[in-house]
Amino acid sequence: MRYIIILFFNVSSICLGQIPKFPEMPQKNNLFRVQETQTITPGRYNHSRINSHADQRINQQADQEHINKEVERQIAEIRAESFAKNFRLASLADQKGTSSYYAAYENLSQLDPESYSIADAVFIVENAYYDNNKNFHESYQNQIQKATNIIRNDLKKKGVEDSDNVSKNLSIFRYFAEDSKQNGKVVHKAMKYDFDDYMGAKDYSKMFVSKLMKTNSGQCHSMPLLYLILAEQIGADAYLVMSPNHSYIRFKNDDGEILSIELTNGMFSANSFVLNSGYIKAEALKNKLYMQNLNKREVLSQTYVDLASGYIHKFGYDEFVSKVLDKALLLNPQNINATLWKSNTDQVRFMQSCARFGIDPQIKEQLQNIRNYPPLEDQFRQINLSFDYIDQSGFSQMPLDQYEKWLSSLRSTENKQKSDEIAERIKILNAQKQREAQNKPKPILPKKESPKIYKIPKEFL
């Protein structure tokens, strides 16, 4: 059994709740008290009248007892609720900007997990961070449309058919890896990896797709998300894949072979590239934590994690964070990022709760005092269960210096050579496919509709 809770963060402040003043218990009335001077003489009163008065008094007494019990029940509920607050995270609802996150959660909840727009989901998360800035949605929408038009023009120029998923993905890949030209002019420069504060510790917007489109530089979170958005816009099939501290893209070729794209260095990659990081255990693969093609529901799960992460970065931990992460885990129980954030949230709750009772859980002797408070024991037990789950899942923490070293290794001569081999094979297969298509008689197809323009739904603004 663990006796000391090790936190990965600092708790800046702890809020103490006040016990409300309870209403006083009303005094009970003795409805049957008779004055000492009063004498009751037989036959002096009508017996039926006496009985009716007695019945009335009995009913009044029953009503009063019912009222008293209801008051006692309400007081007990108030006391129980006041006591329960001691075991919850202090609310941050009074901080400016939290309401935008609450609205974002409701908007995400409206999305159909099987058929939503990834562009909409990403917009909802990033728009919350900017506190629903009126100018943000226009900029975001225009940038996506501009990128989509560049890719569509490339497909049209090369005569790519709508059913050619490989060529569509290659066009998106070129958008990231090469300069885009129209009429001899560069309309878009190749995207670069932003090594400066790539985890968003100082500037959380470094994680955003909107930042990537605006500055043409991003990292392993924003680049794959933008790829998915553009694939969605042109009707290409592609998958988001997670690995420790990292994410990348996969798609299938015509033979069903899975091809991986590493957008951080503009290269094709193989599974060995990711496995060479040394931080993926066999248990993690068995439990489907990493290197899985995420479906729409699982991508939406990660979007909820992004919403919680932005809230934590901007405000801190409260019960809203726990609510968002519960939704993420409901959509994808194997979401290790959601599990880790949830564990951190549970630990902060436990620390705040202990502080309210004068307990320092880092001191073994004081930790024993949680036995006096069953809710604290339950919290402690849950934290240890989550630790056990994380340990058994195969998760391994990848230090940032090791991640940077691994990223640099992707540009090694060996990996570049492997990428060139994959690219050359795709080029040959694609050329062969185009030759076969040219020899086939072209069917008469109905006139194509004009490409749809991406618009953010009004209910999300």
Side-chain angles (χ1 to χ4, degrees), residues 243-262:
S243 65
N245 296 11
H246 195 65
S247 63
Y248 57 100
I249 293 293
R250 279 181 183 165
F251 68 92
K252 292 180 181 180
N253 66 11
D254 295 330
D255 297 327
E257 178 187 5
I258 297 293
L259 300 174
S260 299
I261 292 178
E262 184 49 69

Side-chain angles (χ1 to χ4, degrees), residues 8 16 23 60 148 171 202 212 214 294 321 330 402 429:
F8 304 105
L16 300 177
Q60 289 176 344
T148 303
S171 185
K202 298 177 183 178
L212 167 62
K214 184 177 180 180
L294 300 186
V321 173
L330 180 65
Q402 291 298 312
L429 292 173

Side-chain angles (χ1 to χ4, degrees), residues 115-372:
S115 61
Y116 67 96
S117 164
I118 296 175
D120 289 346
V122 171
F123 168 78
I124 289 170
V125 172
E126 297 186 10
N127 191 38
Y129 184 83
Y130 291 115
D131 201 14
N132 296 335
N133 187 301
K134 293 182 179 179
N135 297 323
F136 175 72
H137 80 270
E138 292 182 8
S139 173
Y140 178 89
Q141 182 170 282
N142 292 339
Q143 287 168 341
I144 288 180
Q145 196 58 50
K146 178 182 177 182
T148 303
N149 290 337
I150 290 174
I151 296 170
R152 282 176 176 159
N153 287 334
D154 181 60
L155 294 172
K156 183 177 180 181
K157 181 180 177 181
K158 291 180 170 57
V160 175
E161 296 182 1
D162 192 57
S163 59
D164 191 345
N165 189 61
V166 174
S167 294
K168 285 181 176 180
N169 275 282
L170 291 178
S171 185
I172 302 172
F173 178 58
R174 283 193 295 271
Y175 175 81
F176 280 84
E178 303 172 5
D179 292 347
S180 302
K181 295 182 179 180
Q182 290 182 7
N183 299 324
K185 295 182 179 180
V186 176
V187 293
H188 168 74
K189 287 186 174 294
M191 293 185 164
K192 299 180 180 179
Y193 190 89
D194 186 357
F195 282 94
D196 179 31
D197 189 27
Y198 59 89
M199 298 295 286
K202 298 177 183 178
D203 180 5
Y204 191 75
S205 69
K206 290 280 187 106
M207 308 283 288
F208 290 168
V209 168
S210 55
K211 181 268 179 188
L212 167 62
M213 292 190 293
K214 184 177 180 180
T215 65
N216 230 37
S217 64
Q219 32 74 290
C220 65
H221 176 267
S222 58
M223 286 181 167
L225 279 181
L226 178 57
Y227 190 106
L228 286 183
I229 289 172
L230 297 178
E232 182 180 69
Q233 295 301 304
I234 66 169
D237 292 329
Y239 302 95
L240 180 68
V241 185
M242 309 299 292
S243 65
N245 296 11
H246 195 65
S247 63
Y248 57 100
I249 293 293
R250 279 181 183 165
F251 68 92
K252 292 180 181 180
N253 66 11
D254 295 330
D255 297 327
E257 178 187 5
I258 297 293
L259 300 174
S260 299
I261 292 178
E262 184 49 69
L263 298 170
T264 58
N265 59 8
M267 292 167 54
F268 290 96
S269 64
N271 287 337
S272 58
F273 290 5
V274 178
L275 292 172
N276 285 341
S277 69
Y279 285 88
I280 299 183
K281 299 178 181 179
E283 294 87 351
L285 294 176
K286 181 181 178 182
N287 292 317
K288 299 182 179 181
L289 301 188
Y290 301 126
M291 301 182 72
Q292 302 292 315
N293 295 346
L294 300 186
N295 58 32
K296 294 273 287 187
R297 176 179 291 269
E298 292 162 341
V299 172
L300 185 59
S301 170
Q302 189 57 41
T303 305
Y304 277 98
V305 173
D306 291 340
L307 184 70
S309 177
Y311 186 93
I312 293 168
H313 182 89
K314 206 171 183 184
F315 308 109
Y317 291 87
D318 66 3
E319 295 300 337
F320 173 74
V321 173
S322 186
K323 175 182 177 181
V324 176
L325 294 172
D326 284 341
K327 183 70 172 182
L329 289 169
L330 180 65
L331 290 167
N332 180 17
Q334 280 75 41
N335 190 328
I336 187 62
N337 294 322
T339 300
L340 294 172
W341 278 122
K342 189 72 162 63
S343 177
N344 283 3
T345 306
D346 292 343
Q347 291 176 66
V348 175
R349 182 189 295 108
F350 182 71
M351 293 292 287
Q352 287 189 9
S353 300
C354 284
R356 294 183 182 113
F357 295 98
I359 299 172
D360 184 349
Q362 302 287 2
I363 301 175
K364 183 177 178 180
E365 290 74 18
Q366 291 193 29
L367 182 61
Q368 307 304 316
N369 294 332
I370 68 172
R371 295 173 178 172
N372 299 324

Side-chain angles (χ1 to χ4, degrees), residues 38 57 113 226 263 351 363 389 409 425 432:
Q38 183 178 358
R57 290 173 180 175
L226 178 57
L263 298 170
M351 293 292 287
I363 301 175
Y389 171 80
S409 73
R425 189 171 80 250
Q432 180 181 352

